[in-house]
Amino acid sequence: MERIMIVEDDMKIAEYLSSHIEKYRYDVTIAKDFEKIMDTFLDVQPKLILLDINLPSFDGYYWCRQIRKVSICPVIFISARTGEMDQVMAIENGGDDFITKPFNPDIVMAKIRSQMRRAYGEYAAKLEERVLIQEGLHFYPERLELRFENKSTQLTKKETDIIESLLERYPRVAGRQDLLEKLWDDQVYVDENTLNVNITRVRNKFQEIGIEDAVETIRGTGYRLRITWKEEKA
């Protein structure tokens, strides 16, 4: 069954929505840790998200922007805010639709099914997944995955950003400043030490799929991909 994720800090509303949606043969995950919405999202890989605006710590607009960095899955805002500008901001920050509380659950279901049809069903555009291939190495930035021969490994968003830069720049050097800016999100400045830690993690990910010494340090400049692997031809 396809999975829907609910991000709503009022647990009574979240559980009410969940029980109603499950009647239509969807799996539902209710986010519980509002500091780690992206961790939950990447873990459950939902097909659609119902997202409140007023949340602890960061608001729904912020989380929608983070989701849009890694996914194009439909996002429907559900909020008690009734202002026109709130609806404008929801759409401008990546949302696909907006439902005002109090809501009719049947209208929520109709909008869920409509978005599902447009994203994955009969109305969906036939979009091919983006993949970068280099000597048998397959990199899937949209699913955060690196694959070589019969081995694969899952990546974090930062690891994905670094590998994408290295592949796109190959055989040129990816500059440290360019990588720092790519890792820098809306809220947190990324320093040199953070980049070093993530480069080490990227090297470990290559090793997990049997590739050694794939990332070369260019002193004072940045990093360059080294093609140390070759796909075995059948």
Side-chain angles (χ1 to χ4, degrees), residues 156-212:
T156 65
K157 180 63 170 58
K158 285 184 169 53
E159 292 162 358
T160 298
D161 288 342
I162 290 173
I163 293 174
E164 184 171 19
S165 292
L166 292 171
L167 281 167
E168 288 179 342
R169 295 286 298 175
Y170 177 81
R172 296 167 293 165
V173 175
R176 291 185 65 88
Q177 188 58 41
D178 290 339
L179 292 173
L180 285 167
E181 291 177 1
K182 193 139 190 171
L183 299 183
W184 196 344
D185 64 26
D186 293 341
Q187 303 292 326
V188 181
Y189 169 74
V190 176
D191 59 20
E192 294 268 340
N193 187 55
T194 301
L195 176 59
N196 295 337
V197 169
N198 280 280
I199 288 290
T200 298
R201 290 174 177 165
V202 164
R203 287 179 167 132
N204 291 337
K205 291 299 174 75
F206 275 103
Q207 290 174 350
E208 287 180 17
I209 57 174
I211 295 174
E212 300 287 344

Side-chain angles (χ1 to χ4, degrees), residues 109-122:
M109 277 312 308
K111 296 207 171 195
I112 287 174
R113 288 197 293 263
S114 173
Q115 291 294 336
M116 291 293 230
R117 285 195 299 272
R118 289 184 180 280
Y120 312 108
E122 57 201 280

